[in-house]
Amino acid sequence: MTMRGHFLLMACLLGAAAAARPAELVVMVDSTANMPMALVENGRLVDGVHKEIGETLARHMGRRVRFVVLPRKRLEAALQNGEADLLCAYMPEWMTGDYLWSRTVFTTEEVLITARSAPRLHAVAELSGQPVGTILGYLHPEMDALLGKGFVRDNAPNMESNMEKLAHGRVQHILITQVVLDYYQRIRRQPLAIHPPLSVATFTTRCAVSRKGRVGLEEVDRAIGLATRDGSLANLPAHPR
């Protein structure tokens, strides 16, 4: 075989190998997310609900998944620019960009917890004017609607920081999802001493689909439907790996 023939053969083999590789699904993840939603080590997603959702949807699409981990303040612009296809476990009210929104992935509840050293609250309205532990960059439209200017945020970089502030008396109240609270109360050496949680809102999370991404809304919805029917998305937030 001539040298030219050898190069042509190699090019054909490489082309065939590339064609045989599954198409890619790029899933974006917030770098500030904590377990059980995400465990990020050295900029890589290694565990958590976001990882399971991405892997499950990619499998049902016949695609290979790649995760892109970015800070919360960069997520929306990156998704709008097509740097990723999906951002899952969110709601339209939490984001300001222009995306397509999938069917429901799972339902969860946001709760307000109060340190036992402080008086127990019986309604969210009683919180007006008191600092509440929140995560920088996250929106809480339900709290804005309930309290208006009385919603005083005390931002932290992530939920672990919020819980440490509560544990050490630097804040008396924090907003947290019930699934994250349950997870940390289970694994903490000393569970937080808190009053019974006060329900703030129940919401259904979905996937924001980039209009400039590699997948369409119909393909995403089909994958969610398949995963729901075969049980692979069932109880994900409640029972992470």
Side-chain angles (χ1 to χ4, degrees), residues 57-74:
L57 296 185
R59 183 172 67 253
H60 284 291
M61 293 179 186
R63 293 173 176 267
R64 54 189 171 88
V65 67
R66 176 166 62 89
F67 295 100
V68 175
V69 179
L70 289 176
R72 178 68 179 87
K73 63 183 179 180
R74 291 183 54 199

Side-chain angles (χ1 to χ4, degrees), residues 57-169:
L57 296 185
R59 183 172 67 253
H60 284 291
M61 293 179 186
R63 293 173 176 267
R64 54 189 171 88
V65 67
R66 176 166 62 89
F67 295 100
V68 175
V69 179
L70 289 176
R72 178 68 179 87
K73 63 183 179 180
R74 291 183 54 199
L75 291 179
E76 296 196 25
L79 191 63
Q80 287 194 117
N81 292 336
E83 295 175 37
D85 304 311
L86 300 178
L87 176 64
C88 292
Y90 278 70
M91 292 179 63
E93 293 83 357
W94 298 348
M95 301 178 68
T96 58
D98 181 24
Y99 320 100
L100 302 170
W101 286 93
S102 76
R103 60 191 296 179
T104 297
V105 177
F106 63 81
T107 300
T108 189
E109 182 180 24
E110 183 176 59
V111 295
L112 176 77
I113 59 174
T114 297
R116 205 176 292 156
S117 58
R120 180 181 178 181
L121 302 180
H122 295 89
V124 175
E126 298 174 26
L127 189 68
S128 183
Q130 300 184 51
V132 184
T134 52
I135 298 177
L136 182 66
Y138 279 63
L139 302 178
H140 296 278
E142 68 288 344
M143 295 293 289
D144 291 324
L146 287 167
L147 297 177
K149 293 182 179 179
F151 178 32
V152 180
R153 300 180 57 137
D154 188 326
N155 286 322
N158 52 52
M159 190 52 69
E160 286 182 342
S161 297
N162 264 335
M163 287 186 287
E164 288 305 309
K165 289 197 305 185
L166 187 79
H168 291 92

